[in-house]
Structure formats: C-alpha cells, structure tokens
Amino acid sequence: MQRRRLLTGLGALVGGGSLAVSTGAFSSVSAERSVSVGLADDAYAFLRMSPISDDGLGGETGRSSTNGEVVEFEIPGDDEGENADAQGVGVDSVYEFHDLLEISNHGTQTVEVYSTYGGGALNDLALVGHNGVLRDEPPILNVGDSISVGLYIDTHGSSIGEFDETLTIIADQPDD
Amino acid sequence: MDRRKFIAGLGSLTAAGAAGIGTGAFTSVQANRGLTVDTADDSNAFLAIEAMSGDNADDYVEDGGNGTVTLDFTNTDSPGSGGGVNRDSTTIFDDLLKITNQGTNTVIVGHRQSFGPAKGALYHEDDDVSQLGDIAGDYGTPDNDGITNLDTAAAKNLPVLEPGESLENVGFFVTPDADASEDFVNGTITFTAGDQPSDIGL
C-alpha cells in the first residue's frame, strides 16, 4: 500500500513536468496548468527600483525618472534643474552620475546586484555605487536592504550624437 | 497520509513551474532599462574644455578631432615658424585652456598626465578661483602658480568650481633634459573633476 502511493505520486510529477520518461510509452502529453504571475511597477516589485530625486540648479535634473511602470535614464536630464549649458557627456571621457536610483530587495533571499551592457554607442555603461562599479564585487543586499546607485558612462571611441542604450540590471543569488 | 500530502505538494509546484513566486522568493531578476544619452564636443560637455582666446591658445591648442582639443607644441602657426621647445630649458606657455563646470554640483578640478620622463605639468593662473583650503605660497611650478596636477597636489591646493564657474588661464610648462630626443612629449592629459576628493582619487 505504501508502494502504490509512492508510484502514484511519481506519475503525477512526471505528467506535470512534461518529462518524456516513462515505461508507459506515449508520444506527447499536453497538460495545462495554471501559472499566476503578478506584474508590478518597478517601485513595487520584488526587486524594487525607484528614481532618486536629483537636485540640480533650482530644481530636479530629471536624469532618472519613471513612466509609472519602469525607470529610465536621460543624460543630460530633461528637467529644469539640469545645467542648460551641458549638451552632453564629453567624448573620450568617463563620467559617473551618482545617486540616481535606489534598488531594494523585497524578495525573501539575499541577492547580489550588478549590471551588464551588451554594447552599443558607448565604450562601457554600468551601475555605479559609492564604492565603484557594480561588477566584479557586486554589493550584497539582504532582504529589506537597499543601495543607492548611479550611472558609469565611458565614451572612449564614441562619436558625437544622441543614443538610446540599454542597461541590464541583475539581482542574483550570490556566488559562494 | 502525511507523505501523500507532501508528494501532492511537489506535484503542484512542478505543474505551475513557478518556483514559489507567490511567496515572494525569486532566484534572479534581470531587467533591461533604457538610457538616452547625448555626447558633446569638449566645449559643450558637462566638464567643458576650451581654448582661451589669445595668441598662445591660437598657436598651441588644436582641434584633436571628434570634438576634442589637443595641445601641440611642435611648431607655431604664424608668425615665427618655431619648431619646438629648447633642450635644457624651461618653456612656459600661459593662457592655453579654460575649464568650465557645466554640471549641477560644485566640483574639485585637477588633471593627471602621462607622457614619459618629461618634467612639466599644467598649472593655472586664475586669481579668482576658490580652492579647497586656504593656502599660500609656493606650489612648485616655475611661477608659483596654482597647481592642478593630482599626482603632486594636496587636495587643499586644488581649484573648486561652482556650476557655471570657469578655471581660466590654464597653462603648461615643460623642461626637457639636455639630451632629450625629438618629440619627447607624446602622451595624454586627463582632466578630472569630482564632488569629493575621493571621487578624483585623492
């Protein structure tokens, strides 16, 4: 009786996982199961990301903002606090704009936070904290912890113009 | 009976394929976020680097291409037709560059240089600019001017620029040895500005 129960349990597992390993041959199994995924704005997600108000000249710079769903960056900023004389970052330069984004861990486990850049118009692009770029030794966020980060922009070899770049922000289990 | 419940629980997890998302745990999150960025030529950048107006700047500050400035002391444009600096001498070039803070916060400004064994450096003669600390006297340049070399300056010596403020009259001095070879200076100068001394490597 014990054995029979166990086999029943295994059968359910294989069926659910769609693994084609069985003594009873079958060509395919189609089993619908429900998946519930809640979408949240960046400000309320498990990995929470909120723009930090960046005070410029008599107002906010608008270098980081949110469209209500996801955060986005613009350098120079598009608000009145940005220096109107600045048309951009110089080429062949490395710029760091600190404290643009707060990232906090609202999951249930410790994570490390870092970024990657798949290339494009810049030589390099990354998140940067007060202790440097979030790359080789990324900061560890325990549940409830947060970190203030900004952008590291390397324009060596870049041409002059306006570019739309993609920064990938990653929270992952720390390597042991 | 307990065991059966446990298996049933596993089955439902596998079916959902969701690794317990409902409880708030996540294994990893990867989020692509956009940056719109403008690059600008040296005169229009957050830290603007421009030629001063005047003969020295006209002769020795050149267009380095792609919107950058470059310093070229290999010859004069006109008149004079000089072909370089003297060996075993100190040659001083005043009033070459102007550095302007076009950002939104006050920054400390300096430079680092890499050009081999040459003795020389940038300096400034801007009497109006404030400095990180109260200092007086000799900064080690030929004219006792303001030092901007981050490798030799103490932080308190460095100029501080508010948004919109310029460091004017940046010059360059160089002292080749008696046996220096031709074009012995061929390197780079890196201008650095930051909010705190630690931001510029001090």
Side-chain angles (χ1 to χ4, degrees):
Chain A
M1 198 55 187
Q2 287 290 93
R3 178 175 176 79
R4 190 160 176 278
R5 278 184 190 161
L6 178 62
L7 284 176
T8 304
L10 275 177
L13 270 177
V14 172
S18 298
L19 295 173
V21 179
S22 174
T23 53
F26 55 84
S27 299
S28 69
V29 175
S30 175
E32 293 179 8
R33 299 290 184 274
S34 66
V35 178
S36 297
V37 178
L39 273 179
D41 296 341
D42 278 354
Y44 302 101
F46 299 133
L47 184 70
R48 227 170 249 192
M49 297 188 283
S50 305
I52 296 173
S53 166
D54 181 41
D55 287 334
L57 306 175
E60 294 182 20
T61 61
R63 291 171 185 168
S64 60
S65 60
T66 172
N67 62 9
E69 294 177 347
V70 297
V71 295
E72 51 200 11
F73 302 99
E74 189 158 349
I75 305 290
D78 60 358
D79 273 351
E80 72 276 7
E82 182 61 275
N83 191 325
D85 291 330
Q87 295 181 9
V89 292
V91 296
D92 293 345
S93 304
V94 175
Y95 276 78
E96 292 186 15
F97 298 89
H98 286 184
D99 301 328
L100 297 179
L101 182 71
E102 181 171 87
I103 298 178
S104 30
N105 180 1
H106 286 260
T108 57
Q109 72 196 16
T110 297
V111 294
E112 60 182 11
V113 177
Y114 58 99
S115 66
T116 59
Y117 174 56
L122 304 171
N123 190 40
D124 197 8
L125 173 64
L127 290 179
V128 63
H130 290 278
N131 295 319
V133 171
L134 276 58
R135 182 171 290 153
D136 296 331
E137 294 179 3
I140 305 292
L141 294 189
N142 293 318
V143 174
D145 282 355
S146 60
I147 184 175
S148 172
V149 297
L151 292 178
Y152 170 97
I153 300 173
D154 183 339
T155 62
H156 283 88
S158 296
S159 53
I160 293 175
E162 180 169 304
F163 308 101
D164 291 321
E165 301 301 301
T166 299
L167 176 71
T168 302
I169 300 170
I170 299 168
D172 211 345
Q173 290 174 314
D175 295 331
D176 291 328
Chain B
M1 197 58 186
D2 271 357
R3 178 175 177 79
R4 191 162 178 276
K5 275 183 187 164
F6 177 58
I7 289 172
L10 271 180
S12 73
L13 265 181
T14 305
I21 275 177
T23 65
F26 61 84
T27 301
S28 72
V29 175
Q30 185 164 330
N32 289 334
R33 293 296 178 266
L35 161 68
T36 301
V37 59
D38 291 327
T39 52
D41 61 38
D42 277 354
S43 60
N44 294 314
F46 282 100
L47 184 71
I49 307 164
E50 301 169 89
M52 294 286 295
S53 57
D55 289 343
N56 268 0
D58 289 348
D59 272 346
Y60 305 116
V61 182
E62 308 285 346
D63 178 359
N66 199 26
T68 63
V69 298
T70 191
L71 299 177
D72 182 355
F73 304 105
T74 58
N75 56 62
T76 56
D77 291 344
S78 68
S81 65
V85 300
N86 302 74
R87 288 184 173 82
D88 208 11
S89 307
T90 295
T91 305
I92 300 168
F93 302 93
D94 282 344
D95 307 333
L96 296 172
L97 295 172
K98 176 171 80 168
I99 312 296
T100 305
N101 175 9
Q102 301 196 135
T104 55
N105 56 308
T106 299
V107 292
I108 310 160
V109 178
H111 81 277
R112 289 190 172 81
Q113 55 195 35
S114 63
F115 42 67
K119 298 185 188 72
L122 294 182
Y123 58 89
H124 75 84
E125 295 181 301
D126 189 334
D127 295 336
D128 298 329
V129 76
S130 56
Q131 285 161 318
L132 209 53
D134 292 328
I135 52 150
D138 189 343
Y139 314 143
T141 63
D143 289 335
N144 292 344
D145 296 316
I147 194 167
T148 61
N149 187 346
L150 292 170
D151 290 328
T152 55
K156 63 180 183 180
N157 300 90
L158 291 168
V160 176
L161 300 180
E162 294 176 5
E165 192 176 2
S166 293
L167 176 69
E168 301 195 332
N169 305 104
V170 174
F172 180 72
F173 76 92
V174 62
T175 309
D177 292 336
D179 57 353
S181 59
E182 278 185 40
D183 293 346
F184 71 105
V185 172
N186 191 359
T188 58
I189 291 168
T190 303
F191 292 97
T192 302
D195 193 35
Q196 300 293 323
S198 60
D199 292 326
I200 55 175
L202 294 179

